[in-house]
Amino acid sequence: MKPTSITSCEEAIRVLAEHLDHELGGRLEAELNAHLETCRSCCSRAEFERELKARIRGLGAEPLDQDVAGRVQALLRSFADTPTP
Amino acid sequence: MCDPMSMATEAVRSSAQHAWFSDEVQSLLPKLYGAAVKLCRDRTNAEDLVAEALTRAWAKLPTLADRGTFQGWLFRILTNVYISQYRAARVRPEEEYLGVDAENFSIFERIHQPILLWWGNPEQEFFDGLLRSDLQAALDSLPEPYRSAVVLVDVYELSYRDAGAALDVPVGTVRSRLSRGRALMQKHLWQYAGPGHGPAQGKGERE
Ligand SMILES: [Zn+2]
């Protein structure tokens, strides 16, 4: 599945997600970086996917309503009476 | 065992441990609750999930060897509770082939066309029109097992290894679930937030 060497745009795109996830590493990472420096189309694609990933990451924080915070505080207080084994 | 001195020491340790646990949980709570809402897609169930995960975490606290790994450990417990619940509900999400179009769907390929590039920057216009609610709806539209992989890796930045540990699957499975989940999300975004939808409407006519 994964190419052993980046010699085409198709192979670059195949490992792009792992590169953006900081999971590629090694020789493929170096080869992909070299490809991105010289290929405008793959470079634009990398920018696009990176931005989309950043937008999705922005969904992380969830506004806490008072009920949830209060319930968790009560739960934590109850643990004081049930020490860990 | 019944030495009052050692019982007192035990009580002090336990109370220090309790204070530490409470502080850590309170600071992680928005993230933890956020992950629960994204996994459950429902606030009431998410609250129950968080409560159950915290109860288990407190009981298992002595097994946590390194306090520096608390966050990953707590996320793993949360995910385990979530998975065991949907297993109990006899929902068996399976990896399935989604069809060549869905497996490889790419918004970039749709908008990065020479004809569109003539008229400006279609990628930027796509992002300008993209709302948080569009992204949330696209994430919510994902079926399991893809949603939990995307939530853990894209929203909460777990490594493939940590996500695999949390989901109890090998790294290769995390990779394929992510790939399918992301393609499905892009397809949903394209259908509901692509050109011609909402604020992105009429982009082509703008000067
Ligand atoms: Zn290329």
Side-chain angles (χ1 to χ4, degrees), chain A:
Chain A
M1 257 215 50
K2 218 199 274 189
T4 51
S5 178
I6 311 278
T7 56
S8 69
C9 292
E10 200 187 323
E11 285 160 349
I13 298 306
R14 216 176 288 158
V15 296
L16 184 60
E18 277 176 80
H19 163 75
L20 296 174
D21 292 339
H22 309 289
E23 298 272 351
L24 192 56
R27 196 165 58 88
L28 282 178
E29 173 78 20
E31 288 185 12
L32 179 65
N33 282 322
H35 182 87
L36 293 178
E37 270 172 35
T38 55
C39 176
R40 192 180 297 278
S41 158
C42 287
C43 184
S44 304
R45 169 105 185 226
E47 281 305 307
F48 179 86
E49 306 295 347
R50 184 179 291 119
E51 172 74 16
L52 187 56
K53 192 174 148 69
R55 293 290 191 99
I56 295 170
R57 188 171 63 238
L59 293 174
E62 194 70 40
L64 268 189
D65 54 61
Q66 281 313 105
D67 286 359
V68 180
R71 184 176 168 193
V72 167
Q73 267 165 17
L75 183 69
L76 289 171
R77 272 197 302 276
S78 79
F79 291 162
D81 311 321
T82 55
T84 61

Side-chain angles (χ1 to χ4, degrees), chain B residues 13-29:
Chain B
R13 185 189 301 149
S14 171
S15 119
Q17 201 171 39
H18 181 260
W20 176 81
F21 182 82
S22 300
D23 286 352
E24 287 291 311
V25 167
Q26 308 246 24
S27 74
L28 288 174
L29 192 57

